[in-house]
Amino acid sequence: MKSILVNLIENSKQESKESLEELKELLKALGGHCLGYITQRKSHPDPKYYVGAGKVEEIRQVAEGTGADAVIFDAFLSPSQVANLEKAIGKRIMDRADLVLEIFSRRVRSKTAKLQVELAKLTYELPRLYGKGKELSRLGGGVGTRGPGEQEAEIRRRWIKKRIQQIKEELEDIKRQRREQRKRRESSGDLKVVNVALVGYTNVGKSSLMKSLTGRETLTADMPFATLDTTTSARLLFPDIKVLITDTVGFIRKLPPELIESFKATLEEVQEADIILHVIDISDKNWLEKVKVVKQILKDLSAEEKPVIYVFNKADKVVEKEEDIKYLTEPAFMESRSVVVSAVKGWGIGELLKAIREKVEELQGAVG
């Protein structure tokens, strides 16, 4: 799919550029090709087109001249904006949510994740059906009558509402089952259990770190959302304490609200965690901004007060800057314990395990 990417520069030009680069990576993850960017500095989105009317005409000309299949906006467009843009530009119009949801649809494997993604897609589609019926109908009708397109849209709307309710009920059952499984794990034998959750921006190496910590084989790839299914493995750090380590889905800026809502069952593992390992890609020059994104999502999940260990990963990619990154582990730099590791090379894993043990002892001391 050959596409033109579009966004507004509302605040920082650099922030806009980084967001577009991320959108390009999302498109690439779907096998698409970016033909170029079109930006507009504007204090707030246009309610009709998102961009200004003059910019819409420019986009139309560029899309037609380059032979683009689609125009993708780095935003969450309203149903009316999508309809107006498609009519004015004559190309398929997509937004950031469309790309993220499509990636999730293609990559999820477990039954739970499939249900969560289906719920997100249907929740996103439902408001976009209103008004579609008139577009689908090309036959005139009398007053009070509906064209075939409107009837088709109404049938689809009813089915979606029914299916959404079914999925929500299934996910509630799964959440109950998970709570029971968690209780059984935590009460197994005489061992005390500590829950540790790996969180971080997408593509920071959480799956590689999971493998280093537990020995569990997981898919690792240099792309956004390489793995989407939550996995949990155990490790004994003390003779009488079992640590359950859970890898969660990676975060991105501008995550579709529907996706966060539908993944509550998965992200519940974060809410239930005793300790959070916040994994950061130290080789990414924009890591600090991404840390802020993750912190905001943790706040949205009411998990911002949990004990955190910052794990600066991919140290093997910045070996020549070893002196420059030593400050990251200094208490004055981060508000919580931090370690520098390379999950791929195995560097610093011993120090990370030591940090986890220290946090466990702090928790035991607090309980005691």
Side-chain angles (χ1 to χ4, degrees):
M1 180 172 63
K2 297 181 294 182
S3 305
I4 303 292
L5 308 187
V6 180
N7 85 342
L8 289 183
I9 303 173
E10 297 180 67
N11 299 305
S12 161
K13 189 174 182 179
Q14 181 62 29
E15 183 180 328
S16 171
K17 181 182 177 182
E18 290 168 8
S19 188
L20 273 175
E21 286 294 331
E22 185 172 270
L23 192 70
K24 180 181 176 181
E25 288 301 309
L26 294 173
L27 176 62
K28 185 179 175 182
L30 289 172
H33 176 63
C34 172
L35 296 175
Y37 304 148
I38 294 178
T39 63
Q40 181 178 36
R41 183 170 287 282
K42 199 171 173 62
S43 59
H44 58 275
D46 181 82
K48 185 175 182 180
Y49 293 118
Y50 179 70
V51 293
K55 185 62 68 171
V56 172
E57 175 58 21
E58 179 187 331
I59 294 170
R60 186 193 69 77
Q61 292 178 10
V62 171
E64 190 174 306
T66 58
D69 303 307
V71 178
I72 304 174
F73 286 76
D74 188 23
F76 301 136
L77 299 176
S78 70
S80 62
Q81 285 173 330
V82 172
N84 293 334
L85 286 165
E86 285 184 341
K87 184 177 180 181
I89 296 173
K91 298 285 184 179
R92 181 183 179 188
I93 301 298
M94 300 175 68
D95 64 7
R96 175 175 272 256
D98 288 321
L99 288 188
V100 174
L101 291 171
E102 184 59 32
I103 291 172
F104 274 60
S105 294
R106 294 187 188 186
R107 295 199 183 151
V108 290
R109 295 290 178 267
S110 71
K111 178 186 176 183
T112 303
K114 286 179 180 177
L115 284 172
Q116 290 159 340
V117 172
E118 184 184 356
L119 176 60
K121 291 190 76 171
L122 292 176
T123 303
Y124 197 66
E125 179 186 352
L126 186 59
R128 282 158 174 71
L129 279 174
Y130 290 92
K132 280 283 186 182
K134 292 180 180 178
E135 293 174 34
L136 292 170
S137 289
R138 291 293 179 266
L139 299 175
V143 176
T145 65
R146 293 185 177 186
E150 291 177 273
Q151 294 171 10
E152 182 183 328
E154 180 59 32
I155 291 170
R156 176 70 178 168
R157 279 196 294 271
R158 289 177 183 173
W159 180 86
I160 287 177
K161 288 180 179 178
K162 184 177 179 181
R163 181 59 184 151
I164 284 175
Q165 186 58 39
Q166 289 174 340
I167 294 173
K168 285 182 176 179
E169 290 172 1
E170 287 187 64
L171 287 175
E172 279 302 314
D173 287 339
I174 290 170
K175 286 172 73 173
R176 280 193 292 271
Q177 291 170 15
R178 282 186 171 177
R179 282 195 291 268
E180 291 170 4
Q181 289 170 356
R182 192 179 297 116
K183 286 179 182 177
R184 283 197 295 270
R185 287 200 303 259
E186 292 175 354
S187 62
S188 60
D190 297 322
L191 293 177
K192 293 179 181 178
V193 176
V194 175
N195 294 294
V196 175
L198 297 174
V199 305
Y201 212 81
T202 187
N203 205 26
V204 294
K206 290 190 290 83
S207 296
S208 296
L209 185 61
M210 177 80 163
K211 181 180 177 181
S212 292
L213 290 172
T214 67
R216 179 167 180 165
E217 289 288 342
T218 56
L219 172 66
T220 57
D222 186 18
M223 66 174 71
F225 305 121
T227 53
L228 295 172
D229 294 310
T230 298
T231 54
T232 300
S233 293
R235 173 154 189 162
L236 286 174
L237 290 183
F238 299 100
D240 61 339
I241 296 177
K242 178 166 45 172
V243 176
L244 295 177
I245 302 175
T246 300
D247 186 12
T248 62
V249 63
F251 301 151
I252 62 168
R253 57 165 67 89
K254 299 181 186 175
L255 193 66
E258 294 82 5
L259 203 54
I260 292 179
E261 185 61 33
S262 69
F263 264 74
K264 283 286 176 68
T266 296
L267 296 176
E268 184 182 19
E269 299 291 345
V270 176
Q271 295 169 319
E272 296 292 330
D274 299 304
I275 299 169
I276 289 176
L277 300 188
H278 182 163
V279 187
I280 302 161
D281 178 2
I282 191 56
S283 69
D284 183 346
K285 65 180 185 298
N286 300 314
W287 66 264
L288 192 55
E289 290 303 312
K290 293 178 179 179
V291 164
K292 293 177 183 177
V293 172
V294 174
K295 282 186 173 183
Q296 182 58 51
I297 294 176
L298 288 175
K299 186 175 181 180
D300 294 341
L301 293 169
S302 301
E304 75 274 22
E305 298 298 327
K306 291 186 176 293
V308 175
I309 298 172
Y310 293 98
V311 185
F312 291 96
N313 190 27
K314 304 191 182 182
D316 54 299
K317 293 189 176 182
V318 291
V319 174
E320 71 282 0
K321 299 179 182 178
E322 187 175 353
E323 290 299 319
D324 296 337
I325 63 175
K326 279 185 178 178
Y327 72 92
L328 296 173
T329 59
E330 294 175 3
F333 181 71
M334 301 296 282
E335 73 271 16
S336 184
R337 181 80 155 85
S338 59
V339 295
V340 175
V341 308
S342 167
V344 172
K345 300 288 187 180
W347 302 346
I349 299 303
E351 187 64 23
L352 174 56
L353 292 174
K354 179 183 174 183
I356 295 173
R357 283 197 296 267
E358 289 172 359
K359 283 291 181 184
V360 169
E361 288 169 349
E362 286 177 21
L363 287 173
Q364 287 183 316
V367 172

